[in-house]
Amino acid sequence: MNDVPALEFIRARTQSIPAERRAELLATPGFGDTYSDHMVTVRWSAEQGWHDATVGPLAAFSLHPATMALHYGQTIFEGLKAFWRPNGRRALFRAKDHARRFNSSARRMAMPTLPEQDFVAALEALLRADGAWVPHVRGHSLYLRPFMVASETHLGNRPAEEYLFAVIGSPARPASSATPKPIRLWADTEHIRAAPGGTGEAKCGGNYGGAFIAQRHATANDCHQVVWLDARERRYIEEAGGSNLFFVESGPQGPRLRTPPLSGTLLAGVTRDSILRLAGSLGYRVAEEPLTLDEWEQGCRDGRITEAFACGTARAIVPVGHVVSAHRDWPVGDGSAGPVTSRLLEALLDIQYGLVPDAFGWMRLVDTDLEEE
C-alpha cells in the first residue's frame, strides 16, 4: 500500500501550554488525566467521503442532542503509544496494525473505514505538533487515542451518514516499574463480556461500558480487574478486563507460554501478538490453546502453571498474583512477577525505547516540530 496519505492535514494556529507547566505535568503523569495541546479531526459524509483534515487546538465538541452516537452507540476507538528517542525523533509502536484493527472495528459497527495511510498520517500529524509531550523517562509514553463517532443529527434507527474521526494525546504513567506489582483478578461467573457473533473483537464503546458492573464487583472484592469467561459454558478463560491473558507453564523442555485462541469474542490485542512473536524469538515455546478456570486453579496448585500476566497497550505487561471468585481463591506462583514475565516486559520496552535493534519492524520513527530537546 502506498504510504503517501490522500488527506492533507492542515495545521491551525494554537496556543501551547508553557514549557515549565508542561514539564510539571510530565513529571507525574497519570493515565487519561492530562492532555497534550492539539487534536486531529477529520470528517466523513456519504456525499464527500473523508474531508476537512485538521490539526488544531484541543477543544470540546459541540454536539446536537440528536447526535446519533449518543443514541445508537456507533463509537469505536484505538489506543497506542509514542515513545521518546534521544535523536530528537519520536516513535510509534505498530501504528499500521492499529490502523487495520480500527478498520475491522469500523466494518463491524457499519461505519466507514479510514485508509490505513491516512490513519497513520493522522497519528504522525499529532505527534509532530505535540512531540514535546512525549516523556523522556523509560516506561512513560504519550498515549494516543484515535476514535470515531457517528456525528449525524438524526433519530432514525439506521447507520449514520456522517462521522467524526479524531486523535487526542495523553502522557501516560510507567507501563510498569522495575518490579511490577502483581494484580488480583476477580473471576466473574455472572456476567459475560461478549458472545459469539457479537462485538467482542471490536473496540466499540459498548463493550467497555457493559463491563463496568462486573468491574464494580471486582473492586468490592479487593481485585483490580475481571477475568471474563466464555458465554456458552462460563468455564473457558477469555480476557482480563480489557487485556489479554497469558499463562506460563513449566515442563521438561522449559517454560511454555499459553494464551486463549482468538475466537471472535476476544480482542485481537496488538500487544498480545507482539508477545507471541517476541517470546518465540527468545526461545520460549508458545501455544494458543483454551484453558478453563478449573484448569488454571489446578495448574497453579500443582505447580504446572508458574506465572500469569495480562497484557495490553495501557499497561504493557502486568503480572497476575492472585485469582478470586465467589467460592474460591488461589495464588499464582509465589504471587510475584515471575522471571518469564519480567524478561518479556524488559525485552518489549527495550524495543519500544530503541535500546535494541527493531528486528520486527514495529517502530515508526517520526520527526517532530521541537525547537530544542
Side-chain angles (χ1 to χ4, degrees):
M1 180 179 290
N2 189 348
D3 280 342
V4 178
L7 291 173
E8 180 180 356
F9 288 84
I10 306 301
R11 176 83 170 266
R13 302 183 70 176
T14 185
Q15 185 71 32
S16 299
I17 291 177
E20 295 79 7
R21 176 56 180 158
R22 183 176 62 239
E24 293 175 5
L25 295 171
L26 289 178
T28 56
F31 186 84
D33 302 318
T34 302
Y35 302 93
S36 59
D37 295 312
H38 297 83
M39 60 191 259
V40 169
T41 57
V42 190
R43 296 191 175 273
W44 184 93
S45 68
E47 294 78 16
Q48 294 180 266
W50 292 104
H51 62 283
D52 290 349
T54 302
V55 182
L58 182 72
F61 294 136
S62 177
L63 298 176
H64 190 281
T67 298
M68 293 183 73
L70 304 177
H71 298 269
Y72 304 119
Q74 274 190 298
T75 67
I76 62 172
F77 68 94
E78 271 296 320
L80 68 157
K81 287 181 175 179
F83 299 88
W84 176 78
R85 294 299 176 95
N87 60 4
R89 306 178 84 183
R90 302 296 183 262
L92 293 165
F93 183 67
R94 300 193 67 170
K96 288 187 176 181
D97 296 292
H98 285 280
R100 285 188 278 270
R101 191 172 66 177
F102 186 82
N103 281 335
S104 177
S105 296
R107 285 188 288 269
R108 179 60 182 85
M109 297 300 291
M111 302 169 81
T113 58
L114 179 65
E116 179 181 308
Q117 65 268 28
D118 290 325
F119 180 95
V120 175
L123 300 175
E124 292 181 335
L126 183 62
L127 194 53
R128 289 192 184 97
D130 285 348
W133 282 93
V134 181
H136 291 199
V137 179
R138 179 179 172 87
H140 291 229
S141 60
L142 181 65
Y143 178 83
L144 300 178
R145 173 57 67 91
F147 63 96
M148 178 164 55
V149 300
S151 57
E152 182 183 359
T153 301
H154 189 70
L155 293 180
N157 191 4
R158 58 161 174 78
E161 296 183 354
E162 296 176 8
Y163 295 87
L164 173 65
F165 169 82
V167 186
I168 58 176
S170 177
R173 62 177 177 258
S176 289
S177 62
T179 54
K181 183 179 179 181
I183 59 173
R184 291 167 56 90
L185 295 182
W186 171 256
D188 192 294
T189 56
E190 179 181 358
H191 303 92
I192 62 169
R193 175 187 173 274
T199 59
E201 62 182 353
K203 284 188 73 70
C204 59
N207 284 350
Y208 295 81
F212 290 158
I213 184 65
Q215 179 59 43
R216 279 187 173 178
H217 291 177
T219 302
N221 286 276
D222 194 30
C223 291
H224 300 90
Q225 274 295 352
V226 177
V227 175
W228 295 107
L229 304 178
D230 72 292
R232 285 196 177 101
E233 301 183 49
R234 310 291 177 90
R235 297 175 57 227
Y236 290 95
I237 296 164
E238 295 207 326
E239 295 184 343
S243 304
N244 296 115
L245 271 171
F246 277 83
F247 311 91
V248 180
E249 300 176 324
S250 63
Q253 296 177 289
R256 184 182 85 140
L257 268 73
R258 180 174 177 180
T259 191
L262 300 179
S263 60
T265 57
L266 281 74
L267 185 68
V270 174
T271 306
R272 173 188 183 274
D273 179 72
S274 302
I275 291 168
L276 287 171
R277 297 171 64 184
L278 186 59
S281 74
L282 294 175
Y284 297 120
R285 294 172 297 134
V286 297
E288 297 179 70
E289 297 176 355
L291 183 75
T292 68
L293 191 64
D294 289 341
E295 289 171 331
W296 188 7
E297 179 184 9
Q298 187 57 43
C300 288
R301 295 194 186 281
D302 64 24
R304 181 173 52 86
I305 296 177
T306 58
E307 304 174 43
F309 60 85
C311 66
T313 295
R315 300 195 198 191
I317 296 173
V318 60
V320 176
H322 211 89
V323 186
V324 181
S325 75
H327 307 291
R328 51 187 169 168
D329 65 83
W330 67 90
V332 179
D334 64 2
S336 65
V340 176
T341 301
S342 299
R343 186 183 182 195
L344 287 168
L345 173 60
E346 292 306 310
L348 181 62
L349 292 176
D350 283 347
I351 292 174
Q352 291 173 332
Y353 291 93
L355 299 181
V356 297
D358 177 16
F360 302 97
W362 287 339
M363 308 306 296
R364 187 180 183 96
L365 295 175
V366 180
D367 292 308
T368 62
D369 294 349
L370 299 179
E371 295 180 0
E372 60 181 20
E373 278 294 330

